[in-house]
Amino acid sequence: MAKNKYIETPEILWQYFLDYKEFTKAKPIKVKDWVGKDADEVHREKEKPLTIEGFENYLEDQEIINDLSNYFANSNNAYSDYSTICSRIKRNVKQDQIEGGMAGIYNPSITQRLNGLVDKKEVTENTPRKITIKVKRNENTEDK
């Protein structure tokens, strides 16, 4: 359970994010793999990506606070002072994910989807079509 119900200043929130970033990058994910003709088992280290969810979980694990949703949503305009820092945190997370995906550190497909970077193609059909319209004539109307 978190000790605090709130984070005192935007600067403290930013410092918490920097602490999370340092903590996350210092603890890579270990991936089991097999190499060579004898399929020897090895463990490769993969850099861990930054995520907003990871940041929130880090803060809760550190017993700092258990929910940042009000800060990021600026609920009831009560967190306006935090808007700039929240935007900066989101940009840092997105930058880490995009650059990691581009460098092949993270799965590029997942990175694209998480950050709305999908390649969209528009397909149009140019085939002429015959359209028949049936018109019901009023009995009182004369044909001309």
Side-chain angles (χ1 to χ4, degrees):
M1 186 74 168
K3 294 178 188 174
N4 301 323
K5 292 184 179 180
Y6 64 92
I7 296 172
E8 294 81 7
T9 68
E11 293 77 19
I12 292 173
L13 178 60
W14 178 246
Q15 187 56 56
Y16 287 151
F17 177 74
L18 294 177
D19 295 345
Y20 157 71
K21 186 175 180 179
E22 183 179 327
F23 174 84
T24 301
K25 296 304 179 179
K27 296 189 178 291
I29 298 170
K30 298 197 187 221
V31 179
K32 188 189 307 186
D33 200 359
W34 292 268
V35 297
K37 66 178 179 63
D38 296 327
D40 295 324
E41 183 179 313
V42 296
H43 290 87
R44 300 176 192 259
E45 291 185 348
K46 296 268 190 161
E47 186 174 322
K48 195 180 290 185
L50 301 177
T51 63
I52 298 296
E53 292 78 6
F55 180 40
E56 286 187 299
N57 288 332
Y58 169 80
L59 292 176
E60 189 167 6
D61 291 346
Q62 300 300 312
E63 297 183 349
I64 295 168
I65 194 169
N66 60 6
D67 183 27
L68 291 176
S69 60
N70 289 325
Y71 291 87
F72 283 95
N74 191 15
S75 299
N76 300 318
N77 289 322
Y79 301 89
S80 298
D81 293 346
Y82 295 82
S83 301
T84 303
I85 295 302
C86 288
S87 293
R88 188 173 182 194
I89 290 169
K90 286 182 195 176
R91 286 193 320 269
N92 271 260
V93 167
K94 191 171 186 174
Q95 177 184 359
D96 177 72
Q97 292 175 358
I98 291 170
E99 289 176 356
M102 291 174 75
I105 298 168
Y106 314 140
N107 183 311
S109 178
I110 293 171
T111 300
Q112 290 169 349
R113 277 185 266 143
L114 286 174
N115 292 289
L117 302 173
V118 293
D119 203 8
K120 296 181 181 178
K121 294 181 182 176
E122 186 175 322
V123 178
T124 57
E125 184 179 330
N126 246 354
T127 308
R129 296 182 184 258
K130 182 179 179 182
I131 300 174
T132 306
I133 301 173
K134 293 184 179 180
V135 178
K136 184 176 178 183
R137 298 217 173 232
N138 190 337
E139 293 175 17
N140 297 330
T141 308
E142 291 181 28
D143 286 297
K144 296 184 180 181

